[in-house]
Amino acid sequence: MASLQCLPGDPSILPLKDKDSQEYFFSSDSDDMATSDKADAIKDKDKLDPEVLKDLEKHQYLMRQAIDVAEEALAGGETPVACVLVYDGAVVARGMNDTNRSLNGTRHAEFLAISEFLSKFPASKLRETDLYVTVEPCIMCASALRQYGIRCVYYGCGNDRFGGNGSVLAVHSDKGLEAGYKSYGGIFRKEAIMLLRRFYIQENENAPNPRAKGNRELKQVV
């Protein structure tokens, strides 16, 4: 994803320059419902796939662990995107966004989690491993996950500017040399969005496109 190079503030998940996304990071996940069509679209995002509903309690438990890691990132002034890798039913690796601290645009949560995983297991075990991540993987991460052969990805909210699991490109399922992987979104979608809102509403010098925020309020409803 050379053309989408990440700079401080992680432009791979930057908001667009419109009213909704200036506040809420992902334009289609804004709660500024100008039309009934928009409202219906948001409702659709809250619908979970039947495959997820079959074992919802397990998926929520694992996504909650990713949310907890994202909370740690937020507390440290980092963009609150995080993930866990689950192998043989257990969380074996974690990752949080590290682009602001490191000034290295490749240090996305997924890459750091994979690095930890590979320090414990051979790469072939990723084919038996699932990823739970708070935000849909960007195109760069989605491609890496496919090349490593991840078994399945579960994510919280979509990434409508750089999403690689269907929001922009379907890197996970398009025809290619490597086998694709299944992907399901919407697990704790609202919680994931609220973490991002909290990051942008606070006085945070790491947030991209800094603006005067003294009169801004955190909207609690997604």
Side-chain angles (χ1 to χ4, degrees):
M1 201 178 70
S3 63
L4 305 179
Q5 181 180 3
C6 300
L7 299 173
D10 201 356
S12 69
I13 40 182
L14 273 179
L16 301 175
K17 301 297 185 180
D18 57 33
K19 177 181 180 293
D20 291 343
S21 55
Q22 284 178 0
E23 288 279 348
Y24 306 135
F25 214 71
F26 304 104
S27 58
S28 71
D29 273 334
S30 168
D31 63 358
D32 184 11
M33 294 296 100
T35 69
S36 60
D37 288 343
K38 265 191 172 183
D40 290 341
I42 294 300
K43 289 179 182 178
D44 288 342
K45 291 176 182 293
D46 288 325
K47 293 180 180 178
L48 296 176
D49 190 278
E51 286 299 314
V52 174
L53 293 174
K54 287 179 182 178
D55 204 349
L56 182 59
E57 186 174 348
K58 179 193 79 171
H59 295 308
Q60 288 180 330
Y61 169 75
L62 294 168
M63 186 63 78
R64 175 57 64 187
Q65 296 199 48
I67 291 283
D68 289 344
V69 179
E71 288 275 8
E72 293 179 27
L74 179 64
E78 187 60 74
T79 310
V81 178
C83 67
V84 297
L85 286 169
V86 180
Y87 172 67
D88 198 21
V91 172
V92 296
R94 298 168 174 80
M96 68 174 70
N97 222 50
D98 189 45
T99 57
N100 292 329
R101 183 199 64 80
S102 66
L103 302 182
N104 182 340
T106 68
R107 289 181 65 81
H108 285 199
E110 295 92 333
F111 278 78
L112 299 190
I114 288 173
S115 180
E116 182 183 347
F117 184 94
L118 294 178
S119 72
K120 303 173 183 178
F121 305 98
S124 61
K125 292 298 182 182
L126 281 166
R127 299 187 181 278
E128 306 169 40
T129 300
D130 299 326
L131 173 76
Y132 289 78
V133 60
T134 58
V135 177
E136 176 188 2
C138 71
I139 296 167
M140 173 179 71
C141 292
S143 178
L145 291 166
R146 180 164 181 168
Q147 291 178 61
Y148 272 114
I150 198 76
R151 181 169 65 182
C152 189
V153 169
Y154 301 90
Y155 63 87
C157 64
N159 183 343
D160 287 344
R161 191 172 185 186
F162 292 101
N165 281 26
S167 289
V168 177
L169 295 179
V171 176
H172 68 298
S173 61
D174 284 346
K175 291 183 179 180
L177 296 177
E178 304 88 4
Y181 57 86
K182 294 182 179 179
S183 180
Y184 303 100
I187 306 171
F188 289 141
R189 182 186 73 88
K190 293 180 180 179
E191 288 82 350
I193 295 171
M194 191 57 64
L195 280 167
L196 297 169
R197 290 184 182 179
R198 286 165 56 194
F199 176 73
Y200 276 92
I201 202 70
Q202 65 188 2
E203 291 293 340
N204 191 330
E205 63 182 11
N206 291 325
N209 299 326
R211 296 174 295 276
K213 303 176 185 178
N215 61 348
R216 296 176 66 188
E217 297 179 358
L218 177 65
K219 296 188 177 182
Q220 300 287 348
V221 178
V222 177

